[in-house]
C-alpha cells in the first residue's frame, strides 16, 4: 500500500485519518502543528506523540521532506539558491531573497515544464511531473529552517507553470496561509502564470487575496507567439481580459512581467503598444532584462534601452519597475541550477 502524504492534508483530513486509527481527534491538532507550524522533518521530532502512534504513522504515512543537495549564497545581497532532491530523485530549485520588507522564497511548482517559452531554461527538457502540495510547502519550510529566519513572502515563480498544476497549487496556498500552520498572509503570495486562461478564471472565483502575475513579454499576438507557444492556445487579448476580470473579482492589482529581449520587444513602439494593450487595468509592470540562457541566443538590451522603455510606459501613466537582479554572482537564469546539476551528473 502506498504511504499517505499527510503533509498535503488539511487538519480535517488528518483528523479523519487519525480517528480511523482509533486515535482521539485532538491528536490531529498536535500533529498538524508539528508538521506545519514547527515544520518537523521527521516523526521522531514529535515529542508529545506516543511511541505507538509514531510507529503507526511511520508504517502508513510519509512525511515528505526535501533533501538539500546544494546551496549557493550570494556575497552581494545574501540571496541563496537551493537545489533540493525529491523522494524519487527528481530535483527542484528554490531561492531565498532578502528584502527590506522581509524574506521571500521563490518556489518551483513542477519538475520541468511543458510550456516551452523560448527564453526559459526550465522548459528545455519538458515536464517531468507535477509537485505535490507537500513538495511545494517543504521548499518554504526547509528554507525557513535553514535560514533560521521567518519567511514572510512566497512567490510561485520557479520552475513550472503553477496553473498547469491547479489543484495542488490551491491546496498548497490554503495550507501555507492557514493560521494554524505557517500562516503566511495571502497578500504576501504571488502566483506567476504564462496565461492559462480557464484556470485564471477559476482562480479569480476562489476570491483569494493573492497577487496574480502574468508573464506577458509582448505587446502583440504575433510577437508573443514568437516567444511563448502557449499563445497559440490563448490569444493575447483573451489573456489580458482574464487579468481585467481577475482584478474585478478580487480587487487585487495585476503584475505584468515583461522580459526585455534586445531587438525583439524592446523598442519604444513596443512600449507604446503595450501601454495601449493594458490601458485601464489597475496594474504594475515589472521589466526584466532577459537572463541569457546558453541554449538560446537572446540578449539583454543596453541599460539605456531598458530605461527608455520604462520612461515611455510611465508617460502613459503606467506603474513600472525594473526588476532588481538578485544573486547576480551565484547563477544565471531560472532553472539553470537544476539543469546544470543534472548535466554534470550525466557527465560522470
Ligand atoms: N510558468 C510561470 C512561472 C515561472 S517563470 C510563468 O510563466 O509565469 C517566472 C518568470 O520568469 C516568468 O515571467 C518567466 O517568463 C520569466 N523567465 C523565465 N526565463 C527567463 C529568462 N531567461 N529571463 C528573464 N525572465 C525569464
Amino acid at each position: 500500500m502506498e504511504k499517505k502524504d499527510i503533509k498535503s492534508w488539511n487538519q480535517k483530513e488528518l483528523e479523519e485519518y487519525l480517528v480511523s486509527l482509533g486515535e482521539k481527534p485532538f491528536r490531529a491538532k498536535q500533529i498538524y502543528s508539528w508538521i506545519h507550524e514547527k515544520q518537523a522533518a521527521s516523526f521522531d521530532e514529535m515529542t508529545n506523540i506516543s511511541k505507538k502512534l509514531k510507529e503507526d504513522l511511520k508504517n502508513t504515512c510519509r512525511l515528505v521532506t526535501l533533501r538539500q543537495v546544494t546551496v549557493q549564497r550570494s556575497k552581494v545581497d545574501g540571496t541563496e539558491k537551493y537545489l533540493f532532491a525529491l523522494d524519487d530523485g527528481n530535483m527542484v530549485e528554490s531561492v531565498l531573497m532578502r528584502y527590506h520588507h522581509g524574506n521571500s522564497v521563490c518556489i518551483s511548482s513542477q519538475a520541468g515544464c511543458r510550456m516551452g517559452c523560448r527564453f526559459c531554461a526550465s522548459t528545455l527538457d519538458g515536464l517531468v511531473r507535477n509537485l505535490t502540495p507537500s513538495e511545494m510547502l517543504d521548499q518554504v519550510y526547509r528554507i525557513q529552517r535553514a535560514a533560521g529566519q521567518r519567511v514572510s513572502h512566497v512567490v510561485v515563480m520557479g520552475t513550472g507553470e503553477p496553473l498547469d498544476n491547479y489543484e495542488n497549487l490551491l491546496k498548497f496556498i490554503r495550507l501555507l496561509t492557514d493560521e494554524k500552520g505557517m500562516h503566511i498572509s495571502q497578500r504576501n503570495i504571488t502566483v506567476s502564470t504564462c496565461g492559462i486562461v480557464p484556470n485564471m478564471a477559476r482562480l479569480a472565483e476562489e476570491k483569494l487575496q493573492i497577487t496574480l502575475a502574468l508573464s506577458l513579454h509582448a505587446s502583440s499576438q504575433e510577437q508573443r507567439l514568437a516567444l511563448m507557444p502557449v499563445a497559440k492556445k490563448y490569444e493575447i487579448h483573451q489573456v489580458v481580459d482574464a487579468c481585467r476580470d481577475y482584478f474585478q473579482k478580487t480587487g487585487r492589482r495585476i503584475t505584468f512581467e515583461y522580459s526585455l529581449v534586445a531587438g525583439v520587444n524592446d523598442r519604444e513602439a513596443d512600449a507604446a503598444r503595450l501601454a495601449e494593450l493594458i490601458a485601464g487595468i489597475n496594474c504594475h509592470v515589472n521589466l526584466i532584462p532577459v537572463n541569457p540562457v546558453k541554449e538560446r541566443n537572446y540578449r539583454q538590451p543596453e541599460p539605456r534601452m531598458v530605461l527608455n522603455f520604462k520612461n515611455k510606459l510611465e508617460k502613459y501613466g503606467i506603474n513600472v519597475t525594473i526588476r532588481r537582479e538578485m544573486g547576480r554572482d551565484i547563477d544565471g537564469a531560472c532553472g539553470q541550477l537544476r539543469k546544470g546539476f543534472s548535466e554534470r551528473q550525466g557527465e560522470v
Side-chain angles (χ1 to χ4, degrees), residues 280-308:
I281 302 182
N282 189 336
C283 70
H284 166 255
V285 173
N286 202 358
L287 298 175
I288 316 158
V290 74
N291 224 325
V293 172
K294 72 173 187 309
E295 288 80 357
R296 307 271 189 240
N297 52 6
Y298 293 121
R299 284 179 307 106
Q300 288 191 351
E302 300 293 321
R304 127 189 106 74
M305 290 292 282
V306 176
L307 218 63
N308 268 353

Side-chain angles (χ1 to χ4, degrees), residues 25-163:
F26 78 89
R27 288 279 172 220
K29 207 170 162 186
Q30 291 177 323
I31 294 175
Y32 191 86
S33 163
W34 278 111
I35 298 177
H36 299 286
E37 211 179 341
K38 304 191 190 82
Q39 303 166 352
S42 71
F43 290 115
D44 288 324
E45 283 183 38
M46 305 182 180
T47 46
N48 57 355
I49 305 299
S50 73
K51 213 166 158 203
K52 155 96 176 47
L53 177 54
K54 258 188 254 179
E55 284 310 308
D56 280 354
L57 289 175
K58 280 187 205 168
N59 290 333
T60 58
C61 303
R62 298 183 298 140
L63 191 63
V64 168
T65 306
L66 308 190
R67 187 171 59 81
Q68 187 179 312
V69 179
T70 59
V71 57
Q72 300 179 358
R73 287 195 181 86
S74 163
K75 292 189 179 65
V76 182
D77 54 29
T79 295
E80 296 177 359
K81 292 199 181 180
Y82 289 79
L83 186 69
F84 291 113
L86 310 177
D87 282 349
D88 63 0
N90 275 304
M91 303 276 183
V92 293
E93 61 179 270
S94 331
V95 184
L96 168 68
M97 290 158 290
R98 299 167 198 274
Y99 294 105
H100 296 301
H101 61 256
N103 292 321
S104 179
V105 167
C106 172
I107 67 143
S108 296
S109 55
Q110 296 179 314
C113 182
R114 60 186 182 134
M115 296 299 136
C117 297
R118 303 288 301 154
F119 44 80
C120 179
S122 298
T123 196
L124 290 166
D125 299 327
L127 175 68
V128 182
R129 69 169 174 85
N130 282 330
L131 299 192
T132 59
S134 55
E135 288 166 337
M136 288 187 251
L137 280 173
D138 210 52
Q139 296 172 56
V140 185
Y141 293 179
R142 296 287 63 86
I143 290 180
Q144 174 161 285
R145 271 213 167 179
Q149 283 173 2
R150 166 106 185 136
V151 170
S152 54
H153 292 66
V154 171
V155 297
V156 189
M157 282 194 189
T159 299
E161 168 49 47
L163 297 190

